[in-house]
Amino acid sequence: MDSDILASLNSAQSDAVTSQALVLQVLAPPGSGKTKTLTARVAHLIARHQLKPWNIIVCTFTVKAASEMKDRIQGFVGAEVAKQLKLGTFHSISLRYLKQYGQHIGLDKDFGIADTSDSKAIVKRIVKKNDLTIDATQARNRISTQKAKGIDCEQFMKGAKKGDQQEFGQVYRDYEATLKASNLLDYDDLLLRCGFLLRSHPQCVSNVEALLIDEFQDTNNIQYDLMTLFAQRQNRITIVGDPDQSIYGFRSAEIKNLTRMKEQWPDTLTINLEENYRSSGAILHAAQNIIEQDESRPPKTLQATHSHGLRPILRKLPSATGEATWLVSEVQRIQKMTGGLLQPSDFAVLLRSATISRPIEHALGKAGVPYRMIGGMKFYDRIEVKLIVDYLRVISHPDNSEAVARIVNMPARRVGEATIKSLLEEARSQDLSLWRLILDTVQGRRRPTTKLNDPSMKGLSIFVDVILCGHTKLLSSQTEAVILVDLVNLVVKKLSFQSYLTKKYPEDHEARWTNVEELIAQAIDASDPERLQAMLQENALPTIDGLEQRTASSLDDMLSLFLANIALTASTQEKAEQDGEKLQQLTISTIHAAKGLEWPVVFIPACYDGSIPHSRAEDHDEERRLLYVGMTRAQALLYLSCPIKNTKREETSLSTFLLQPGVSGFFEEHGPSIALSSVTGLATTLRRDCPSTAVINKDKRTLERDEDNYWSVNGEEPPEEIAKWDYGKGGGKFEPTRPAAVFSSAAVTMQQGFSTASAAVQPGFTSVKAQYDELMEKAVLQKVDKRAQQSNTTTVEEPPKGRKRQIEGQGSIESFFGKRSRPEPAVESKSKPTATVSSSRPLHEIRNPASHQRPKVAAPGLSSLLQHKPRNAPLYSKPTVNAHANRAPDNKYMFLSSSPPQPEPDENETSDTVPTSEAAHEDEPIVPKARPASTFHTTSMQSVAPQRKTLGVRLSRDGWANRGGRK
DNA sequence: ACTATATTAATTTTT
DNA sequence: TTAATATAGT
């Protein structure tokens, strides 16, 4: 067994795996098999050193990484053994210790977890109450920073200077008191209290034989302390990490912890892995060049094991929507050109921030490309879900005043903001929980000082009724299997939740209702006895002689567990990855959430200043590392792109990291021509079989363009757009100008966060192209003519003022139309980049003018015409109009039901969706039909796929959203 | 005086 | 897509 493990490793890796060193650091650049090494070492410790899996702790930073790690370890040691490991995020492992041993440090058995919104609400209220000038979110972050340093509020107050610091200290102290009153721990508390527990009761971890930590560069000081505490018995520690991939500075990660570790244990052995097995040479070199801009960074070697491959692309596009459309067209082009070598699941779009995913989701939806979204809005953060969960939280822990305050007037019960605030303050001053105060008031045991009018009073009693009913149910129920679902159903029924949604969200209530159904489905899953057993077993810690352990078997413990899992976004199932593969979905993810993962083709859009580096980021080195992490996710093809106008239609400036001298030499300006040799190259890099020429050629024929030449390389609007506009003006009426020739107008897309089952719609481009070509040509000629008539001087006008970056208009018409057959990048000769600065280089190169078939026009370049057109000229105003047309119904959801608002008969898009069979009626118990696990997404993803009955649908902008019968 | 509703602005990354 | 603010209504 052990030899099996070692067989697949290189010498450095196997040195690391088998090292006898007690404390071991493995420093490993991206793609060097870091996780593999760590998992192999776990397997080795079990197989060779006979460590018991339950005595091994494995820590990761993200939920995603934890489940990834688990999968990998399973591959080595099997599911049974893997299950026994104590594996999870720092937070979830800490939680386990606190749940089971918390009483030893005086922790109430039933503490809840304050999530971000709780914390924010608390701080906001404190700030408001005391009329402070501090920004609430800033204060919250500051509290978190202090906690991560291990400074509690009293300590802080001691050292605080007058003024701002004193004020903040007050908030900090108040915040802590509020948490305590509501019996809540925030994320930082989980780590802090666990540290406190293990310091005072080292017995808790006396069984621990080995500790392994992934992504160690992301540890903060508290986590470092936890490391030493977890391992205190035997000090057998293995960490893997890479300073270049430190991207959690905002969470107080300390890269210094690497050296601190060496100082604490001078015998620490450090092993460097240097060979990259993931990316092509070209990608690696480009990434390397970026990261080396950081001069404070110690130089490192990173050896490519793959051939040079295709150079990464740095592409300019007119706008975010244009960028999205282009991106999708490249996904489709690459897929076709490689004859099925690549599936949608081989593509990833990595974003600096999840908020900019919208145009991309829109474009993908329009083209019928299935996708899933990781990061960003989580399922449990959706208001309709969160509301129910909050009710559960209150039923479970009525003293959680935060949750009570949030739901007491939800749905609206005429208990307004002012009343809640006043009640909260009164509760606080009486040292009561909000719930206690409200309950006593409603039941006539207490006359609150807060004035309450009749409707408010009535509202309060309705609220009390709901909670009491839930609570009774919780206490009286005997069979644990049904209780969770029953509770959810009870809440939903008591609130008339469905009609509430209908009233409050007339536009998309059905989609929201589906989310509620999904929550119910999750409750069912969580109440499944087998699943519950597995979960308890996984969460259990080994019993230790002479140490009292709390058992987690009672009913409301189950509810607590369910809620805690929600708070930590810990998944109840780990099927997501496989499902993603099976369902063939493209991945959209934040770069942060993509860490540790890889894809054959990676797109990083929005590479402009303000996005990467982010405008709010203080540490630009970290932002650079972020870009580096993103780039190094790619195996075979990497696209960076930048809209030259941001969403507000202001000019953007290419990311500073990409403007550095020499950088441009590593990139192409547009997507690669895919010759047959490239396909074989890709196949080798990906270690896949190369598809046959016949297949490739067949696929190719269904493609409208086999080159990335629709969009100009300097980011201007493509000629079609201009042509269309021109014609639109002539006709007096504006015609929507999406490049219909390129993409079919599939109205069936998916709601954000939902995976779709919609089959890809075959685009019908057949004859449209020819028409377009003609149209474009005419338009351009017309333009040029007009221009020439106007004056001869205009072409040398100064460019418009206020531009951050001037874009040279040297392009000629050929470069738009001509098929520029590009030579394969000569691998060796390119390896030495030219030292040109991209911005100073002619942006429009005509690579092969002779090949184009169209009449040459000896006239000023089209791009210069564009450039110098006055602001109020139609040429400029057109995109604005377009953007408006785009906006309105974009984020509306609609549902296909058995009696849907009927689309035009000629709309064929509905055929792909599953119609809703029936709408659930309110008084019936809501029990979604069972569905196979494979259609079901876990909660670790943001996406949850309720495919069994209904499909959430986000309509494309000019679909039948407007005809759907809303107001 | 308080609550509900419409408009407007702003929007990092994760546990 | 929320959060804060202004306004109308109870």
Side-chain angles (χ1 to χ4, degrees):
Chain A
M1 178 182 182
D2 204 31
S3 57
D4 286 352
I5 298 169
L6 297 177
S8 62
L9 303 171
N10 70 24
S11 69
Q13 287 170 339
S14 84
D15 282 353
V17 168
T18 57
S19 168
Q20 297 288 329
L22 217 47
V23 181
L24 174 67
Q25 286 187 347
V26 181
L27 297 186
S32 59
K34 155 172 66 77
T35 312
K36 189 180 186 184
T37 306
L38 193 71
T39 50
R41 187 159 166 88
V42 171
H44 179 79
L45 286 173
I46 295 171
R48 185 65 189 273
H49 297 264
Q50 268 90 50
L51 300 196
K52 298 296 170 222
W54 52 87
N55 292 335
I56 299 174
I57 295 181
V58 184
C59 281
T60 65
F61 283 82
T62 61
V63 185
K64 195 105 219 319
S67 74
E68 175 85 5
M69 183 76 73
K70 197 170 195 177
D71 282 354
R72 301 282 284 271
I73 293 182
Q74 266 180 24
F76 276 126
V77 299
E80 273 313 302
V81 179
K83 229 189 286 174
Q84 297 170 318
L85 289 165
K86 299 301 139 199
L87 183 153
T89 61
F90 271 98
H91 291 85
S92 80
I93 290 177
S94 296
L95 176 67
R96 291 180 213 176
Y97 276 96
L98 291 176
K99 281 275 177 196
Q100 291 188 36
Y101 299 113
Q103 76 273 25
H104 296 293
I105 55 167
L107 198 63
D108 191 310
K109 180 168 170 297
D110 271 330
F111 63 87
I113 298 171
D115 62 25
T116 317
S117 59
D118 293 321
S119 300
K120 253 204 315 224
I122 294 172
V123 174
K124 207 177 285 169
R125 207 176 310 114
I126 294 169
V127 168
K128 215 166 207 171
K129 188 181 77 188
N130 298 339
D131 242 353
L132 303 177
T133 47
I134 308 180
D135 173 65
T137 17
Q138 256 175 29
R140 215 232 77 100
N141 292 339
R142 214 162 141 193
I143 290 173
S144 182
T145 311
Q146 293 306 318
K147 285 191 173 185
K149 283 187 196 156
I151 301 170
D152 68 30
C153 58
E154 297 312 322
Q155 261 172 293
F156 184 88
M157 284 304 263
K158 257 183 242 160
K161 292 181 209 115
K162 277 248 183 305
D164 177 58
Q165 287 207 334
Q166 200 75 22
E167 213 172 56
F168 167 73
Q170 206 54 253
V171 176
Y172 189 0
R173 184 185 272 167
D174 217 344
Y175 171 81
E176 294 286 271
T178 313
L179 281 185
K180 193 166 180 207
S182 288
N183 195 18
L184 291 171
L185 299 186
D186 69 14
Y187 291 126
D188 300 304
D189 285 336
L190 290 176
L191 306 180
L192 279 168
R193 299 299 176 90
C194 185
F196 186 70
L197 168 71
L198 299 183
R199 226 183 294 273
S200 55
H201 295 79
Q203 317 90 285
C204 299
V205 285
S206 56
N207 68 304
V208 175
E209 296 180 299
L211 171 67
L212 299 99
I213 300 176
D214 191 21
E215 308 279 15
F216 184 77
Q217 74 282 352
D218 291 329
T219 43
N220 64 26
N221 285 334
I222 293 296
Q223 287 163 331
Y224 185 94
D225 289 347
L226 274 178
M227 168 181 81
T228 65
L229 289 165
F230 281 145
Q232 57 185 307
R233 182 61 174 269
Q234 299 200 19
N235 284 320
R236 188 186 275 124
I237 304 173
T238 302
I239 63 100
V240 296
D242 177 9
D244 288 340
Q245 292 184 74
S246 166
I247 53 175
Y248 282 98
F250 68 94
R251 239 170 70 182
S252 308
E254 288 279 356
I255 312 185
K256 286 191 205 122
N257 282 343
L258 279 165
T259 46
R260 185 175 164 196
M261 193 171 165
K262 283 195 202 172
E263 283 157 17
Q264 186 170 348
W265 293 285
D267 290 338
T268 299
L269 176 69
T270 302
I271 293 179
N272 291 296
L273 306 183
E274 291 174 347
E275 286 172 14
N276 176 296
Y277 294 96
R278 177 185 297 151
S279 311
S280 71
I283 291 171
L284 216 52
H285 291 149
Q288 194 68 9
N289 178 271
I290 301 282
I291 197 70
E292 278 167 1
Q293 291 168 11
D294 184 350
E295 283 160 11
S296 62
R297 190 191 83 109
K300 257 186 268 178
T301 44
L302 177 50
Q303 202 60 50
T305 63
H306 284 296
S307 61
H308 192 266
L310 295 170
R311 285 211 292 178
I313 291 94
L314 177 53
R315 189 73 158 90
K316 293 195 183 75
L317 292 138
S319 63
T321 35
E323 184 179 39
T325 326
W326 161 80
L327 190 155
V328 175
S329 75
E330 276 300 278
V331 169
Q332 295 180 321
R333 185 176 72 93
I334 297 297
Q335 263 191 273
K336 299 275 186 192
M337 296 294 288
T338 53
L341 178 70
L342 298 165
Q343 299 302 311
S345 57
D346 293 324
F347 295 80
V349 179
L350 305 183
L351 308 169
R352 169 66 244 260
S353 49
T355 46
I356 55 175
S357 69
R358 192 165 279 287
I360 292 160
E361 289 189 59
H362 185 80
L364 286 168
K366 237 183 348 180
V369 178
Y371 67 92
R372 64 183 181 144
M373 171 92 199
I374 297 173
M377 178 70 119
K378 307 228 171 54
F379 176 72
Y380 293 111
D381 285 338
R382 289 160 173 270
I383 16 166
E384 64 274 12
V385 177
K386 202 165 169 47
L387 191 59
I388 305 274
V389 171
D390 274 336
Y391 269 94
L392 295 182
R393 295 216 295 166
V394 172
I395 290 168
S396 167
H397 309 312
D399 288 340
N400 181 348
S401 302
E402 293 319 308
V404 172
R406 212 170 337 163
I407 61 173
V408 73
N409 196 35
M410 290 292 257
R413 302 186 176 104
R414 308 213 57 93
V415 183
E417 227 177 305
T419 312
I420 296 171
K421 195 176 151 194
S422 163
L423 282 172
L424 261 174
E425 268 162 43
E426 186 175 344
R428 171 65 88 75
S429 70
Q430 306 272 319
D431 210 22
L432 287 167
S433 71
L434 181 58
W435 165 249
R436 184 47 59 188
L437 177 66
I438 292 173
L439 182 69
D440 286 357
T441 306
V442 166
Q443 298 184 336
R445 277 195 300 272
R446 189 186 295 268
R447 293 218 145 270
T449 51
T450 304
K451 271 193 296 187
L452 292 168
N453 53 17
D454 275 4
S456 304
M457 201 60 191
K458 222 170 170 185
L460 283 179
S461 58
I462 292 169
F463 169 70
V464 166
D465 177 57
V466 176
I467 302 303
L468 281 183
C469 276
H471 209 241
T472 328
K473 187 145 215 161
L474 185 63
L475 294 178
S476 66
S477 179
Q478 296 296 313
T479 48
E480 36 187 279
V482 272
I483 181 151
L484 208 50
V485 196
D486 285 354
L487 261 186
V488 180
N489 275 335
L490 179 115
V491 171
V492 168
K493 225 182 296 170
K494 279 264 171 193
L495 301 181
S496 305
F497 203 65
Q498 196 172 19
S499 57
Y500 163 72
L501 286 180
T502 319
K503 224 177 359 194
K504 181 140 189 202
Y505 308 99
E507 319 242 309
D508 59 352
H509 65 276
E510 302 211 48
R512 291 176 189 270
W513 176 249
T514 318
N515 288 336
V516 176
E517 287 184 315
E518 184 51 44
L519 180 68
I520 294 167
Q522 302 219 354
I524 291 173
D525 282 354
S527 348
D528 175 48
E530 273 177 46
R531 151 136 280 119
L532 186 67
Q533 203 51 44
M535 226 159 101
L536 288 175
Q537 196 204 327
E538 256 174 71
N539 275 324
L541 296 169
T543 46
I544 286 149
D545 289 344
L547 194 63
E548 191 200 330
Q549 204 179 58
R550 281 201 290 234
T551 45
S553 60
S554 79
L555 298 181
D556 65 309
D557 274 338
M558 178 173 93
L559 179 55
S560 300
L561 193 62
F562 183 67
L563 293 172
N565 271 335
I566 288 175
L568 294 185
T569 40
S571 61
T572 34
Q573 314 168 27
E574 288 87 32
K575 280 261 163 60
E577 266 307 299
Q578 287 173 16
D579 283 2
E581 232 79 68
K582 273 192 209 120
L583 291 172
Q584 288 306 341
Q585 294 168 311
L586 177 149
T587 301
I588 306 175
S589 170
T590 58
I591 300 177
H592 282 89
K595 187 146 93 158
L597 305 177
E598 62 183 15
W599 291 270
V601 185
V602 168
F603 290 84
I604 307 181
C607 291
Y608 53 85
D609 265 358
S611 181
I612 312 184
H614 196 272
S615 50
R616 308 183 69 133
E618 304 154 6
D619 185 350
H620 274 215
D621 290 335
E622 179 155 315
E623 296 291 303
R624 189 185 296 108
R625 290 193 294 267
L626 202 48
L627 181 59
Y628 174 72
V629 168
M631 292 172 74
T632 51
R633 298 309 95 199
Q635 294 171 279
L637 246 183
L638 170 66
Y639 287 88
L640 308 189
S641 60
C642 174
I644 61 172
K645 290 200 176 97
N646 67 14
T647 36
K648 276 205 80 189
R649 303 226 145 248
E650 298 156 342
E651 270 88 13
T652 60
S653 162
L654 188 64
S655 169
T656 38
F657 308 136
L658 299 170
L659 277 177
Q660 298 305 308
V663 171
S664 66
F666 287 92
F667 293 91
E668 295 290 338
E669 289 177 314
H670 56 76
S673 308
I674 306 283
L676 280 176
S677 60
S678 320
V679 183
T680 41
L682 289 172
T684 329
T685 304
L686 300 173
R687 302 184 189 88
R688 294 182 185 180
D689 292 333
C690 191
S692 73
T693 349
V695 173
I696 295 174
N697 284 332
K698 190 167 151 258
D699 273 5
K700 220 171 177 171
R701 254 173 267 133
T702 64
L703 208 58
E704 196 219 7
R705 294 169 181 274
D706 54 9
E707 290 288 338
D708 175 17
N709 59 5
Y710 175 77
W711 304 86
S712 136
V713 291
N714 60 5
E716 285 156 9
E717 291 285 344
E720 274 110 351
E721 304 289 321
I722 297 150
K724 274 212 160 179
W725 189 87
D726 228 40
Y727 275 68
K729 195 181 79 176
K733 221 186 150 202
F734 188 75
E735 190 191 339
T737 66
R738 167 166 55 109
V742 183
F743 302 106
S744 76
S745 59
V748 179
T749 74
M750 56 192 146
Q751 180 181 340
Q752 180 181 31
F754 278 76
S755 51
T756 186
S758 74
V761 184
Q762 263 309 326
F765 333 106
T766 23
S767 66
V768 195
K769 183 181 188 287
Q771 285 174 11
Y772 255 117
D773 287 350
E774 216 173 291
L775 205 86
M776 280 188 284
E777 215 168 291
K778 267 193 206 156
V780 172
L781 289 169
Q782 211 177 47
K783 263 265 82 95
V784 172
D785 280 349
K786 236 188 259 170
R787 197 71 202 177
Q789 283 164 18
Q790 267 177 24
S791 92
N792 300 327
T793 57
T794 42
T795 49
V796 287
E797 273 173 10
E798 284 292 307
K801 283 178 207 163
R803 298 201 157 224
K804 277 185 197 155
R805 187 166 52 92
Q806 184 187 336
I807 296 150
E808 300 265 339
Q810 299 193 13
S812 68
I813 290 149
E814 298 95 307
S815 51
F816 280 106
F817 295 107
K819 279 217 164 138
R820 283 164 290 158
S821 63
R822 299 262 291 102
E824 267 302 289
V827 170
E828 290 320 316
S829 66
K830 296 271 190 193
S831 63
K832 205 173 137 206
T834 53
T836 15
V837 183
S838 94
S839 57
S840 69
R841 208 164 64 159
L843 289 159
H844 238 142
E845 256 176 85
I846 306 160
R847 314 260 177 175
N848 193 356
S851 76
H852 82 86
Q853 314 254 310
R854 296 167 201 284
K856 285 186 188 176
V857 183
L862 183 58
S863 48
S864 61
L865 292 179
L866 263 167
Q867 238 0 264
H868 302 277
K869 201 89 179 155
R871 276 253 164 225
N872 57 359
L875 226 66
Y876 268 96
S877 60
K878 185 233 102 203
T880 317
V881 176
N882 203 10
H884 269 280
N886 250 322
R887 188 162 309 159
D890 188 14
N891 50 3
K892 311 260 158 105
Y893 301 125
M894 198 177 107
F895 243 72
L896 301 168
S897 65
S898 52
S899 55
Q902 278 308 316
E904 302 294 325
D906 57 60
E907 301 259 15
N908 59 355
E909 287 86 8
T910 53
S911 56
D912 288 319
T913 30
V914 185
T916 310
S917 48
E918 82 275 357
H921 290 292
E922 226 153 80
D923 17 59
E924 294 167 6
I926 305 112
V927 182
K929 282 162 202 140
R931 76 259 116 134
S934 62
T935 63
F936 191 31
H937 265 252
T938 88
T939 57
S940 70
M941 308 287 101
Q942 171 246 2
S943 11
V944 177
Q947 289 169 4
R948 57 194 172 277
K949 191 164 93 182
T950 48
L951 258 185
V953 168
R954 180 198 287 169
L955 291 156
S956 68
R957 64 177 156 96
D958 35 14
W960 14 272
N962 297 325
R963 295 171 243 162
R966 47 174 152 290
K967 54 169 177 193

